[in-house]
Amino acid sequence: QDFSCAVQSRVLMHGRLYITPGHLLFYSNIFGFEKIIRIPFTHVRGVARASTALFIPNAIAITTSRRAYVFRSFWDR
């Protein structure tokens, strides 16, 4: 499956989050600025609901041993 969402890096990058049997993959290409995030399920330490703007429940936080990613702007999480 794939979902439209955004991830925060230096700027908010809108793209697609793909769920495969072994990985979470995020791909964004806006005006030539490409962002690729590949997270193997074996590296995921936690998954939690998150909110944007303090009260809008449209984000998911994925935590690995190295960093945390917040995927936001989902229509329905």
Side-chain angles (χ1 to χ4, degrees), residues 11-77:
V11 295
L12 194 63
M13 298 285 291
H14 191 271
R16 305 290 298 177
L17 179 66
Y18 299 91
I19 301 175
T20 68
H23 294 82
L24 289 172
L25 304 166
F26 177 81
Y27 179 77
S28 174
N29 187 348
I30 298 179
F31 302 118
F33 295 103
E34 192 173 55
K35 179 78 169 180
I36 299 171
I37 299 172
R38 183 177 302 119
I39 306 170
F41 284 130
T42 56
H43 293 185
V44 173
R45 299 291 178 247
V47 178
R49 293 179 181 174
S51 297
T52 57
L54 299 176
F55 62 90
I56 300 172
N58 66 347
I60 297 172
I62 306 290
T63 306
T64 67
S65 58
R66 293 187 177 190
R67 68 177 292 185
Y69 301 92
V70 178
F71 297 98
R72 52 186 81 214
S73 301
F74 286 98
W75 285 104
D76 185 19
R77 67 169 178 199

